[in-house]
Amino acid sequence: MGISGRYSEPDELPPLTPTAWTILGFLSIHPRNGYQLRQAVQRSVGHFWGVSYGQLYPQLKVLRENGFIEPADDDSHQLTDRGRAALDRWLATPPAPAQRRDEGMVKLMFADHAGPATMLALIRHRRAEATARRDVARATIPGAHWPPQAQRSSDDVLATWLVRAHTIALAEAELAWCDEAEATLAERGVHPEQSKGKNNAD
Amino acid sequence: MGISGRYSEPDELPPLTPTAWTILGFLSIHPRNGYQLRQAVQRSVGHFWGVSYGQLYPQLKVLRENGFIEPADDDSHQLTDRGRAALDRWLATPPAPAQRRDEGMVKLMFADHAGPATMLALIRHRRAEATARRDVARATIPGAHWPPQAQRSSDDVLATWLVRAHTIALAEAELAWCDEAEATLAERGVHPEQSKGKNNAD
DNA sequence: CCTCTCATGTAACTCGTTACATGATTTC
DNA sequence: GAAATCATGTAACGAGTTACATGAGAGG
């Protein structure tokens, strides 16, 4: 609880969108322009947090109006003290429950009706996506994300390592589930070659 | 994918929202009214697919206008043949990529700056949510979801079993990650009591 | 010169949620 | 007869995406 610092407004946070806070977070590592910001988000948290240009520039404006960021020497945006303090308070509040929107899982829910081929196709689609996610995360070299002049030593590496490990762990769990699911289907006599649709490669 | 039947429109799907298709999917199991529909969705796919009342009734209307559902004897909605055919085609198309909106992970990304206590709090919050998810899924008895008169025997059970297994698998992976994360923090001598670290290499 | 990447923005739109409004029926 | 649950809807709002518009600078 006890935040002791006093700023122009008390303990409460301004009602920024989660995306605005995310932007603020990325700027807390080092100043960037909008374009670099977008790239950094895509690269590091891309598959559990998206920021489109349609959001990015308006939100940057909002952050500027709140006095949380200011223009740096070059054309990049940098955190102000107010911004840093606000970010800290945001980080200390419990996160909103994670949301998922998993259409593939919904389809699976009804796919038995459409036939085992459809079911298998869904599982393989999922496997392909999980594999890609895992491989991208594996290929990521921790600590090599940001330009050297902005390195903030081992702590940053820890955070990115945790995020990366999370991505890999969930992807692997997904893959294990795919194995299990396909095995269960096979057990029940369902095989890829059998039945209606031969699935063209997707 | 050889769908041979001919309906008033050719192979292409009408541009329904994913939510509308989901509703159609649930009605393909057995007729329900809006209220029951919502409950079923919440219970079975609640944490990767939400349907609010603000969407539900308008989408039911859309489905009705498309001739995909019709009123049953009681006040429930039931699938038409057209509806069933459309559902099958939808199921056969590749699912949209799964989306996530995981604020907790984003916070973690910047939490080292705010201090190890914040980091630990985030991990524990995540652990609590994952535990709850896993336990709810575990407590679910497969096949007991829907009224007996509508049982469609083993296939439906398979689908729900797969979904349930998926939920449990991902939740457990999340928990394993929490263990690992906390262990890593402990290894580095990071404990909740320590306050904000030294940063700023610049 | 043309194309690609960098860079910044806006307008229209979609999807979805929250909060509200209403009333019937059941249960205590 | 009060409260809870069942049941159906709508209006206002919010967040985010897509597509568009524009232009600078670099490299072929």
Side-chain angles (χ1 to χ4, degrees), chain A residues 12 15 23-24 72 74 80 83 169 181 194:
Chain A
E12 65 193 50
I23 292 170
L24 201 63
D74 49 349
T80 61
Q194 166 175 40

Side-chain angles (χ1 to χ4, degrees), chain A residues 19 48 50 84 88 90 93 96 99-103 105 107 110 112-113 126 155 159 162 166 174 177, chain B residues 19 25 48 50 84 88 90 93 96 99-103 105 107 112-113 155 159 162 166 174 177:
Chain A
T19 293
F48 58 83
R84 174 132 267 170
D88 283 350
W90 179 69
T93 60
Q99 292 179 49
R100 298 177 56 208
R101 209 80 193 157
D102 194 333
E103 194 182 280
M105 216 59 201
K107 286 193 175 180
F110 312 114
D112 50 49
H113 159 262
R126 183 165 291 265
D155 274 342
L162 286 174
H166 187 266
E174 195 100 60
W177 175 88
Chain B
T19 294
F48 58 83
R84 175 132 268 172
D88 283 350
W90 179 70
T93 60
Q99 292 179 50
R100 299 177 55 209
R101 211 79 193 156
D102 193 334
E103 194 182 282
M105 217 59 202
K107 286 193 175 180
D112 51 49
H113 159 263
D155 274 342
L162 286 174
H166 187 266
E174 194 101 60
W177 176 85

Side-chain angles (χ1 to χ4, degrees), chain B:
Chain B
M1 24 209 71
I3 291 165
S4 43
R6 268 303 162 93
Y7 312 98
S8 49
E9 72 247 332
D11 247 17
E12 65 194 51
L13 294 165
L16 300 180
T17 63
T19 294
W21 291 114
T22 303
I23 292 172
L24 200 64
F26 271 90
L27 292 180
S28 79
I29 296 167
H30 67 82
R32 318 169 198 243
N33 63 33
Y35 191 84
Q36 295 165 336
L37 205 34
R38 172 94 200 288
Q39 284 190 123
V41 173
Q42 292 267 82
R43 197 176 43 222
S44 56
V45 298
H47 59 306
F48 58 83
W49 201 267
V51 173
S52 61
Y53 286 123
Q55 279 277 93
L56 181 51
Y57 291 106
Q59 294 305 319
L60 280 172
K61 196 181 159 203
V62 169
L63 288 170
R64 220 154 45 224
E65 286 165 355
N66 274 271
F68 290 168
I69 59 173
E70 62 190 5
D73 295 339
D74 51 348
D75 63 345
S76 66
H77 311 271
Q78 69 182 5
L79 234 64
T80 62
D81 290 343
R82 264 173 66 79
R84 175 132 268 172
L87 180 62
D88 283 350
R89 279 178 291 154
W90 179 70
L91 289 172
T93 60
Q99 292 179 50
R100 299 177 55 209
R101 211 79 193 156
D102 193 334
E103 194 182 282
M105 217 59 202
V106 173
K107 286 193 175 180
L108 188 70
M109 189 83 190
F110 312 114
D112 51 49
H113 159 263
T118 302
M119 224 159 171
L120 267 176
L122 285 167
I123 293 166
R124 284 176 181 159
H125 189 271
R126 182 165 291 265
R127 183 194 295 283
E129 289 203 338
T131 304
R133 243 173 14 242
R134 183 201 56 186
D135 291 346
V136 168
R138 275 189 183 161
T140 303
I141 299 147
H145 282 164
W146 303 295
Q149 88 276 1
Q151 290 276 345
R152 281 177 56 238
S153 82
S154 55
D155 274 342
D156 273 335
V157 176
L158 175 58
T160 52
W161 182 83
L162 286 174
V163 171
R164 181 171 165 267
H166 187 266
T167 302
I168 294 171
L170 286 219
E172 282 174 348
E174 194 101 60
L175 291 174
W177 176 85
C178 288
D179 291 341
E180 205 188 350
E182 281 200 53
T184 304
L185 257 60
E187 242 175 61
R188 304 206 175 195
V190 175
H191 293 291
E193 290 72 31
Q194 289 179 262
S195 64
K196 311 197 172 200
K198 48 320 164 99
N199 12 16
N200 292 354
D202 37 338

Side-chain angles (χ1 to χ4, degrees), chain A residues 72-123:
Chain A
D73 295 338
D74 49 349
D75 62 344
S76 68
H77 310 272
Q78 69 181 7
L79 233 64
T80 61
D81 289 343
R82 264 174 65 80
R84 174 132 267 170
L87 179 62
D88 283 350
R89 279 178 290 154
W90 179 69
L91 289 172
T93 60
Q99 292 179 49
R100 298 177 56 208
R101 209 80 193 157
D102 194 333
E103 194 182 280
M105 216 59 201
V106 173
K107 286 193 175 180
L108 189 69
M109 188 85 190
F110 312 114
D112 50 49
H113 159 262
T118 302
M119 225 161 171
L120 266 176
L122 285 167
I123 293 165

